[in-house]
Amino acid sequence: MHVEHRTTITAEPDAVFAFIQSPEYHQALVPRLHLVEAIEPVSEERAEDGTIMRVARYTARAELPGVLKRFEAKAPDFVHWEERSQLNPLTCELRYEIVPEMPERWRSYYANQGTLRVEPHAGGTESIVVQHLEFSVSVPGLSLFIGKALRSEITRIFDAQGTVLRDHFDTNA
């Protein structure tokens, strides 16, 4: 499945991308994400070419959809995943992969790859944040259901990210 999202921000691309790289961005994002309790930096390394490899760990309350409530007693209270990103400040692009913390044998059922690009708009005084995520879920009998649920959750996350960016630059303008 493919999810795409666009947000217009009243700021130059370099400023938007610099904020996305900052700890303040993740701090502002947590209260906007429905089930997310924390986003913690794990590592950050700068390569010789100027790109940055970053890993952030997300912690979220586990919430099963109504159709799976019978498994609620077996579900953990919290789920965790890592966002492994490569940021390129020169092109204002971030490439990432979401890696859930689960047994390795289960990871083969889920694949994803995403990008976030900040592009100039309106003569450079505004930016457009373009987000893409490709993902697939291969669980016999449940793939379509899980895919639709993930698609709506991903859209909510992209909306929250756009809101955080707009709020930051509207209040700091």
Side-chain angles (χ1 to χ4, degrees):
M1 294 189 133
H2 178 81
V3 181
E4 181 176 331
H5 190 269
R6 294 173 179 268
T7 304
T8 302
I9 309 296
T10 308
E12 295 178 358
D14 288 341
V16 174
F17 201 72
F19 180 60
I20 289 169
Q21 294 176 64
S22 73
E24 292 80 20
Y25 173 69
H26 282 142
Q27 290 170 358
L29 192 55
V30 169
R32 298 271 185 188
L33 298 175
H34 172 60
L35 299 173
V36 173
E37 294 281 323
I39 303 173
E40 302 164 278
V42 174
S43 65
E44 186 170 298
E45 297 176 27
R46 186 173 297 271
E48 288 184 23
D49 65 359
T51 60
I52 301 164
M53 302 300 289
R54 179 173 72 184
V55 177
R57 183 176 190 256
Y58 287 64
T59 299
R61 291 182 314 279
E63 183 177 282
L64 296 177
V67 75
L68 297 176
K69 287 294 183 189
R70 66 179 180 220
F71 299 108
E72 196 167 49
K74 295 179 181 179
D77 291 334
F78 293 93
V79 294
H80 308 276
W81 65 91
E82 288 184 350
E83 179 183 276
R84 298 177 183 172
S85 307
Q86 180 180 13
L87 298 89
N88 187 333
L90 295 176
T91 61
C92 293
E93 183 174 63
L94 182 151
R95 295 183 173 280
Y96 64 93
E97 173 187 24
I98 306 299
V99 180
E101 287 184 13
M102 64 174 54
E104 189 68 39
R105 67 184 183 280
W106 293 356
R107 289 188 194 166
S108 63
Y109 295 109
Y110 176 73
N112 71 82
Q113 193 171 26
T115 60
L116 178 149
R117 253 185 358 271
V118 185
E119 303 173 347
H121 181 65
T125 59
E126 291 184 341
S127 300
I128 297 180
V129 177
V130 181
Q131 294 174 271
H132 294 273
L133 182 66
E134 290 286 338
F135 69 94
S136 64
V137 179
S138 301
V139 179
L142 293 175
S143 294
L144 187 58
F145 172 75
I146 294 170
K148 285 182 180 181
L150 281 175
R151 178 187 209 93
S152 64
E153 190 59 32
I154 292 163
T155 299
R156 279 194 289 272
I157 290 169
F158 286 173
D159 286 340
Q161 290 170 327
T163 299
V164 165
L165 291 169
R166 278 193 306 277
D167 288 354
H168 175 78
F169 287 101
D170 286 349
T171 57
N172 292 319

